[in-house]
Amino acid sequence: MRYVLASASPRRRELLGQILNNFEVIPATGEEKVNTSFFPEKVACALAESKCDEVFEKNPQATVIGCDTIVVFQDEILGKPKNREEAVKTLKALSGKTHFVITGVCVRNAYKKLVDFDKTEVKFNILSDEFILNYVNGGSPMDKAGSYGIQDGGVVKEYFGSYTNVVGLPVTLTKNLIDGVRINL
C-alpha cells in the first residue's frame, strides 16, 4: 500500500514515521477556508478532510492522510500568526491561561474515508514580555497554530490529553484511522 501525507510539516512527518515506515509527502496547496459558524472540532475535521481530498484526487491509488491543527482560546480559533506582532499578541493573551488544541485527521483510500479529531487541554506558564520577544525573534511561532510549539521549552506548564496532538498529529488516533481504512485481502 502506498501512503501519502498531505502536509509539509516536518513535525507531522516525524510523528507519522512512528506509525508508518514508508510514506510520501505531497502537501495540499489549496486555500484553507474556515467556516467559523461550525464548532471548532468540526472546523478542524473539515480542514483536514479538504486537504486529504485535494491530495487524494491526484493520488487515487494511495491512502492519504490529511490533518489540520487549530488552537481555541475563549471560543475563538487562533491560526498561525500572520506576522511577529500577531504572534506576540497571541502569546501575551495565552500567558498563564488554558486553551484547547484540536487536530482533525482524515484518512482516505479508494475504499473508505474516516475523519475524527483529538482534543487536548493546554495550560501556559506565565510568560514575561522578555521571554515572549526572545521566543518570537527566534522564529519558532511563525508556522504554528497559536504561535507556539509544545516541544519548545518554557511555554507550556501542563497539558491534559495527547502530547502528539498538540505537536500536530495525534499518533494513536491516526494509527487507528489508518488501521480502519485498511482492506484485508
Side-chain angles (χ1 to χ4, degrees), residues 150-161:
I150 191 171
Q151 64 276 21
D152 300 335
V155 179
V156 172
K157 180 175 184 174
E158 59 187 342
Y159 64 93
F160 303 95

Side-chain angles (χ1 to χ4, degrees), residues 36-143:
T36 54
S37 68
F38 290 157
F39 284 110
E41 295 84 353
K42 174 115 171 114
V43 169
C45 287
L47 289 168
E49 189 172 6
S50 174
K51 290 176 180 182
C52 186
D53 289 349
E54 176 194 324
V55 173
F56 180 78
E57 293 302 319
K58 295 177 183 141
N59 299 276
Q61 266 55 57
T63 295
V64 178
I65 300 116
C67 40
D68 197 86
T69 302
I70 60 173
V71 170
V72 180
F73 176 64
Q74 297 177 345
D75 296 325
E76 182 183 345
I77 295 173
L78 306 177
K80 296 175 185 174
K82 294 178 181 65
N83 52 47
R84 290 170 20 86
E85 293 74 25
E86 193 172 295
V88 168
K89 181 180 173 188
T90 298
L91 291 167
K92 283 184 178 188
L94 294 175
S95 178
K97 297 189 179 80
T98 299
H99 62 276
F100 293 93
V101 177
I102 303 166
T103 301
V105 180
C106 179
V107 180
R108 178 181 181 186
N109 61 25
Y111 306 100
K112 200 171 195 181
K113 174 163 66 169
L114 297 174
V115 185
D116 205 349
F117 68 90
D118 204 342
K119 184 174 182 178
T120 303
E121 183 178 357
V122 179
K123 182 167 184 176
F124 260 31
N125 285 312
I126 295 172
L127 307 177
S128 69
D129 289 346
E130 180 183 9
F131 178 91
I132 290 171
L133 288 174
N134 286 336
Y135 186 66
V136 171
N137 287 337
S140 184
M142 301 317 295
D143 68 337

